[in-house]
Amino acid sequence: MPDIATPRRPTAVVIGASAAGLFAAAALADYADVTIVERDVLPGGPEPRRGVPQARHAHLVWSGGVLAFEDLLPGVIDDVVAKGGRLVDIMRDMVSRAPNEVWFRRFTNGYHRNLVCSRDLLDSVLRAHVLALHSVTVRQDTTVLGLEGTASRVTGVRVRTDDDESTLSADLIVDASGRGSHAPRWLTALGLPVVTEREVNAGVAYATRIYRAPGTTANTRFPLINVQANPEKAPGQGGIILPVEDNRWIVTLSGTRGGEPTADPEAFRAFALGLGDPIIGELLEHADPLSDIATTRSTANRRRYYEKLPAWPDGFLVLGDAIAGYNPVYGHGLTVAAQCALAVREGIRRHRITEPGTARALQRAAAKPVAAAWDLAVGQDAFYPGASDTPPTAAERFLARFVDRAVETGASNPRALAALLDVMSLEKPATRLFSPDMLRPMLIGPRKPPLDGPPITDAERRAAST
Ligand SMILES: Cc1cc2nc3c(=O)[nH]c(=O)nc-3n(C[C@H](O)[C@H](O)[C@H](O)COP(=O)(O)OP(=O)(O)OC[C@H]3O[C@@H](n4cnc5c(N)ncnc54)[C@H](O)[C@@H]3O)c2cc1C
C-alpha cells in the first residue's frame, strides 16, 4: 500500500475569550484546531471577571447581532432566553427618544428582535457553546506577551502562565484582546509600518446601577426606556433602563464632557430626572438599588486601519474591539464582533488558512462590518465639541441632516422606522435609508403629528409605581 500522508489540520490561537474571541473560535472551529488564550480565570457561570469590566454596564444586542450570533452558534439565542434573557420586539417594546428629541411611536408589526440580558449571562452562554465545540480548547490564566515570527509571517505567540514563559505556535494567530490590544506595537516590533488610527471622542462617561424591578413590572414585557443624547446640545446626556433576567433593571446614564454622571448614589436619580425627559428618574422612584454605581470613560470611537497597511504578515488577524471600539451608546460592538467572525468564516471557505495572502484577505473582509458601525457612530459623535481634530466634512453634515429627517419620518411611520432599524441594527447597509420605504413618507411628510411625550401606557407607569 502506498503511504498516503494525511494533511495536517491547521491550528489557530485566539487571544481573548470575550465575545470577539469566542465568535472567532466558532468561525474557525470547522477548519482548524483552536486554542483560546485568556488572561483571566473564566467563571463557571454568569459572573463578572476582571478582563471585561464593561460587563457591568447595559449591553443591548441589536437584531443584526442576534442573527449573526445564531448563524455562528445555532441554538445560542434560545439558550440565553431559556436562562432568563428576552428577545424584544424593538418597535413595540422600546420607549425611545431619538437624538433629535423626537419620541418614536410604538408599532405592533415589527420584525426586529433585540436580545436583552446582562452581559454576564450572555458571556456565560457564549462560552458554554464555544467551549463545547470539539476542536476548541482554552488556556486560562495565561497572558499573551507578543508575537513570534517575521514581518512576512507570524508563527506563534509568547505566553506567560504564572512565572513560566513559553511559545505557542500556530498557523493563524487572532488578536481579539479588546480595546487594550497591543497589536500596533507587536507589528512594528516585527518591522511592519505604523498602523493609521483615528479617534473621535465625544468624551462620554457612563454610570450604571442595578435595581430590583419595581412594583409589579417583574416577569412582564415592561419596555426598554431610552432617552438619547442630542449631539447639538452639548453636553449630551442620556440614559437607558434595561429590564434583564432575575427581575432586575440595569440603569445606565451617560453624559459628554462637562455633563458626566458620577458614582455618587445621591446624584444618580437626580441626574436621570434632569435628562431632556425625566421618565427614567420618575420610573426609578420606587426601585430599590441592588448595587453600587459603576463608572467608565472607556467610550471613545477608535479605529485602527489594519486593512490599509501596505504590508501584512501571513498568519495574523485582528478582530473585535481590537480593530475598532465605538461609543457604546450605539450598542454595536457585539454585533460587529459576530459579523466580523462571519466574514472570516466566509473567507476561509474560499481560501485555505495556511495559504499565503489569506490573513490579509480576512483582515480586509473584517473591515466591512467595522466600517458600517464606524460611519454611524462617527456621523453623530463628530458634532460634539472637541471630539475630533478634523471637523465634520460637508458630506458628513449632509448625511447627519438626512439621518435626522429619517429619524423624524421613522418616528411616526412604521415602514420608515423598519428601514431605519434595518440600518441601526446593522442588518442592512446605510443605503437602505434611501429606499422608497423611507423616501416616500419623507417626501409626503408625517401623517401623524410628533408625540409630545414618551409613549408609555398608564398601566406601565402604574406597574412601576407601586
Ligand atoms: C461601557 C460599554 C458598554 C457597551 N455596551 C454595548 C452594547 O450595548 N452593545 C454592544 O453590542 N456592545 C457594547 N459594548 C462593546 C462590547 O463590550 C464589546 O464590543 C465586546 O465585549 C467585544 O469586545 P472584544 O471581545 O473585542 O474585547 P473585550 O470584551 O474587551 O475582551 C478582551 C478579552 O481579551 C482578554 N485579554 C486582553 N489582553 C490579553 C492578553 N494579553 N492575553 C490574553 N488575554 C487577553 C481579556 O481578559 C478579555 O477577555 C460596550 C462597551 C463598553 C465599554
Side-chain angles (χ1 to χ4, degrees), residues 441-465:
M442 197 184 261
L443 291 173
I444 294 167
R447 245 186 286 162
K448 292 183 176 163
L451 294 173
D452 52 13
I456 182 166
T457 64
D458 289 344
E460 285 164 347
R461 267 204 196 267
R462 267 198 312 278
S465 65

Side-chain angles (χ1 to χ4, degrees), residues 366-441:
K368 209 172 156 200
V370 166
W374 177 262
D375 291 346
L376 289 175
V378 165
Q380 294 276 326
D381 287 2
F383 290 88
Y384 283 110
S388 170
D389 295 340
T390 44
T393 60
E396 281 169 342
R397 281 180 194 285
F398 167 78
L399 199 65
R401 271 202 303 277
F402 184 83
V403 169
D404 268 2
R405 283 291 312 280
V407 166
E408 231 170 87
T409 312
S412 58
N413 181 294
R415 292 174 81 94
L417 181 55
L420 187 67
L421 286 174
D422 280 347
V423 176
M424 291 323 209
S425 63
L426 302 178
E427 280 193 48
K428 302 258 165 70
T431 47
R432 170 84 170 106
L433 293 180
F434 300 100
S435 68
D437 283 344
M438 178 61 76
L439 293 181
R440 208 175 291 129

Side-chain angles (χ1 to χ4, degrees), residues 15-21 37-40 49 51-52 54 57-61 119 142-144 176-179 186 206 296 298-299 319-322 328 331-335 337:
I15 309 167
S18 180
V37 180
E38 168 56 51
R39 192 166 47 194
D40 282 353
R49 65 183 177 91
V52 192
Q54 73 269 33
H57 302 279
H59 272 69
L60 184 66
V61 183
R119 179 67 198 269
T142 301
T143 302
V144 172
S177 64
R179 279 179 181 259
W186 290 346
Y206 257 40
T296 183
S298 184
T299 61
L319 294 177
D321 283 16
H332 281 154
L334 292 165
T335 295

Side-chain angles (χ1 to χ4, degrees), residues 95-97 103 225-229 237-240 254 275-280:
V95 169
S96 179
R97 199 181 82 142
W103 285 101
I225 311 288
N226 186 21
V227 177
Q228 298 180 56
Q237 294 180 320
I240 188 164
S254 65
L275 296 177
D277 188 282
I279 183 168
I280 293 179

Side-chain angles (χ1 to χ4, degrees), residues 102-435:
V102 175
W103 285 101
F104 289 98
R105 285 177 190 276
R106 291 164 75 181
F107 298 105
T108 50
N109 50 353
Y111 51 85
H112 300 91
R113 296 289 179 273
N114 288 28
L115 185 64
V116 175
C117 63
S118 72
R119 179 67 198 269
D120 289 343
L121 173 61
L122 176 65
D123 281 9
S124 75
V125 175
L126 291 178
R127 274 195 307 270
H129 278 247
V130 172
L131 299 182
L133 298 171
H134 71 277
S135 50
V136 177
T137 51
V138 64
R139 272 187 67 168
Q140 311 180 43
D141 206 4
T142 301
T143 302
V144 172
L145 303 172
L147 301 177
E148 292 284 316
T150 63
S152 56
R153 172 164 274 285
V154 170
T155 55
V157 285
R158 272 191 324 288
V159 298
R160 189 180 55 221
T161 314
D162 298 326
D163 287 336
D164 186 42
E165 280 192 27
S166 57
T167 297
L168 264 180
S169 301
D171 298 305
L172 181 66
I173 306 295
V174 180
D175 178 10
S177 64
R179 279 179 181 259
S181 158
H182 296 301
R185 184 156 58 74
W186 290 346
L187 288 170
T188 49
L190 292 180
L192 284 142
V194 175
V195 64
T196 305
E197 277 192 29
R198 186 175 175 211
E199 184 171 289
V200 177
N201 186 358
V204 175
Y206 257 40
T208 296
R209 196 167 206 193
I210 297 174
Y211 289 82
R212 192 186 311 286
T216 55
T217 61
N219 300 315
T220 67
R221 262 190 358 219
F222 195 81
L224 281 65
I225 311 288
N226 186 21
V227 177
Q228 298 180 56
N230 182 347
E232 287 186 359
K233 286 190 190 160
Q237 294 180 320
I240 188 164
I241 296 178
L242 210 61
V244 297
E245 75 277 1
D246 299 332
N247 295 324
R248 294 172 300 159
W249 281 7
I250 299 180
V251 182
T252 290
L253 305 177
S254 65
T256 60
R257 289 182 192 89
E260 299 94 333
T262 67
D264 175 4
E266 302 300 319
F268 194 80
R269 186 165 163 256
F271 186 98
L273 285 168
L275 296 177
D277 188 282
I279 183 168
I280 293 179
E282 289 167 1
L283 292 170
L284 289 182
E285 186 177 356
H286 301 284
D288 293 328
L290 296 173
S291 75
D292 291 335
I293 295 169
T295 58
T296 183
R297 285 173 180 272
S298 184
T299 61
N301 300 291
R302 194 183 61 195
R303 179 170 176 189
R304 292 162 170 164
Y305 292 83
Y306 291 110
E307 71 282 4
K308 292 194 174 158
L309 269 191
W312 189 254
D314 287 324
F316 187 58
L317 180 61
V318 187
L319 294 177
D321 283 16
I323 311 181
Y326 319 89
N327 179 348
V329 299
Y330 304 113
H332 281 154
L334 292 165
T335 295
V336 176
Q339 290 180 337
C340 284
L342 283 176
V344 166
R345 194 181 67 185
E346 193 50 39
I348 49 177
R349 279 178 179 157
R350 281 181 284 117
H351 310 275
R352 277 182 301 118
I353 286 178
T354 47
E355 208 173 279
T358 293
R360 172 156 236 189
L362 298 180
Q363 196 65 59
R364 286 182 172 157
K368 209 172 156 200
V370 166
W374 177 262
D375 291 346
L376 289 175
V378 165
Q380 294 276 326
D381 287 2
F383 290 88
Y384 283 110
S388 170
D389 295 340
T390 44
T393 60
E396 281 169 342
R397 281 180 194 285
F398 167 78
L399 199 65
R401 271 202 303 277
F402 184 83
V403 169
D404 268 2
R405 283 291 312 280
V407 166
E408 231 170 87
T409 312
S412 58
N413 181 294
R415 292 174 81 94
L417 181 55
L420 187 67
L421 286 174
D422 280 347
V423 176
M424 291 323 209
S425 63
L426 302 178
E427 280 193 48
K428 302 258 165 70
T431 47
R432 170 84 170 106
L433 293 180
F434 300 100
S435 68

